[in-house]
Amino acid sequence: SDILHKITGTHVSHVDIQHITEGIGKDITQEHNKAILHIKLDEEKRVEPANIVINKNAARKIYLETDGCHVPTKEAWRECKTLLLFERNKKGDEPILLNKHYFSSLEDIHYFKRQVKAQLEKYCGKDEVELICIGDGAEWIWNMMQELVPQGTTEILDWYHISEKIWELANELYPEDKEKINSFVGEQLEWLKKGNPGVVIQHLVELKKTTKHELTDKLIQYIE
């Protein structure tokens, strides 16, 4: 309400704005729901593959990034899953994101993956595309992508999530020893920057021989 007044000089109450935006939100939700009425799940709750043309050598590269976070609602804490579709270009040496498209939902995974299918088909159209999926280690993400794109995607484990896991393990292994923590983390991240997750896994397997810590096993599984 304050921003509208500053920009336009118009007085609109915050209650009116709330009613208008909630009404528009309901209309948008109804349109989204209509788009997935034809999409069925099988007996195992699997979604049918997306009707897109995958070619890992295609000129058009589509990035799909998804994650979930828990938010409080009036009823209870619920997971809000969010999808981002985008393309990339460069401005000088700086990468820029183009054609960004967002979709979020508080509904369950079965609803969400039907929406991802609909959004992905609309975004890609009939073009041949390479699909690059970015996510953390949550199994629902990669299970969903295997259902939607059985031809295969280029899979990228999100840098910030894997970094967080490595720092967590280092702090458990070397409590109060900042030098060892920094050395351990620096070495693993350097290998990951070079695209060698296999080397990190080898280091963790060797580490298991001398240090019995469940976080080591969890990190190996996370990377794999």
Side-chain angles (χ1 to χ4, degrees):
S1 178
D2 291 342
I3 290 171
L4 278 177
H5 182 249
K6 288 177 182 177
I7 293 175
T8 68
T10 305
H11 292 280
V12 184
S13 77
H14 68 276
V15 174
D16 285 340
I17 293 173
Q18 179 181 346
H19 290 162
I20 292 168
T21 54
E22 287 180 352
I24 293 171
K26 288 179 181 177
D27 291 342
I28 292 171
T29 299
Q30 288 177 358
E31 290 301 312
H32 282 155
N33 290 343
K34 286 179 185 177
I36 66 168
L37 288 176
H38 67 287
I39 301 174
K40 307 298 182 184
L41 301 178
D42 64 19
E43 293 179 354
E44 297 179 354
K45 300 292 186 181
R46 293 172 60 88
V47 69
E48 58 191 35
N51 186 22
I52 57 177
V53 183
I54 294 293
N55 178 355
K56 290 203 171 185
N57 297 314
R60 189 179 179 201
K61 299 182 187 297
I62 304 297
Y63 292 81
L64 183 156
E65 189 165 9
T66 187
D67 202 355
C69 68
H70 285 83
V71 296
T73 69
K74 290 180 180 179
E75 296 79 23
W77 283 83
R78 297 172 65 186
E79 185 175 42
C80 179
K81 292 180 173 65
T82 297
L83 165 74
L84 169 62
L85 294 167
F86 65 92
E87 297 173 80
R88 288 178 81 240
N89 204 337
K90 280 194 172 183
K91 189 174 182 179
D93 293 330
E94 291 295 318
I96 55 174
L97 274 57
L98 305 172
N99 307 323
K100 291 183 284 186
H101 176 78
Y102 290 91
F103 177 83
S104 291
S105 175
L106 286 169
E107 301 297 331
D108 64 20
I109 181 61
H110 306 305
Y111 174 91
F112 186 72
K113 61 188 179 183
R114 291 165 70 199
Q115 286 288 1
V116 174
K117 171 181 163 63
Q119 304 295 327
L120 190 56
E121 290 175 348
K122 184 177 180 180
Y123 192 91
C124 294
K126 296 182 179 180
D127 294 343
E128 287 191 354
V129 300
E130 177 186 2
L131 188 60
I132 301 158
C133 183
I134 304 170
D136 63 13
E139 290 186 7
W140 69 264
I141 295 175
W142 308 106
N143 290 341
M144 176 179 70
M145 294 313 302
Q146 286 173 8
E147 292 176 32
L148 287 169
V149 192
Q151 309 97 309
T153 65
T154 300
E155 299 177 353
I156 297 178
L157 183 59
D158 178 80
W159 177 260
Y160 295 98
H161 282 96
I162 186 60
S163 300
E164 181 181 41
K165 297 290 184 183
I166 292 173
W167 278 104
E168 183 181 359
L169 175 60
N171 280 288
E172 288 289 335
L173 292 174
Y174 312 111
E176 309 301 328
D177 192 332
K178 290 186 178 180
E179 186 175 341
K180 281 190 175 181
I181 289 172
N182 290 333
S183 175
F184 177 83
V185 172
E187 182 180 6
Q188 310 318 313
L189 293 185
E190 190 61 33
W191 283 112
L192 289 178
K193 283 181 183 177
K194 294 176 180 177
N196 290 302
V199 176
V200 177
I201 291 176
Q202 289 177 0
H203 289 171
L204 295 172
V205 170
E206 289 297 316
L207 186 65
K208 281 175 57 178
K209 295 177 182 178
T210 56
T211 307
K212 303 293 182 182
H213 201 293
E214 64 177 355
L215 280 182
T216 308
D217 283 327
K218 286 183 178 179
L219 183 55
I220 292 172
Q221 294 170 9
Y222 193 86
I223 298 172
E224 289 176 339

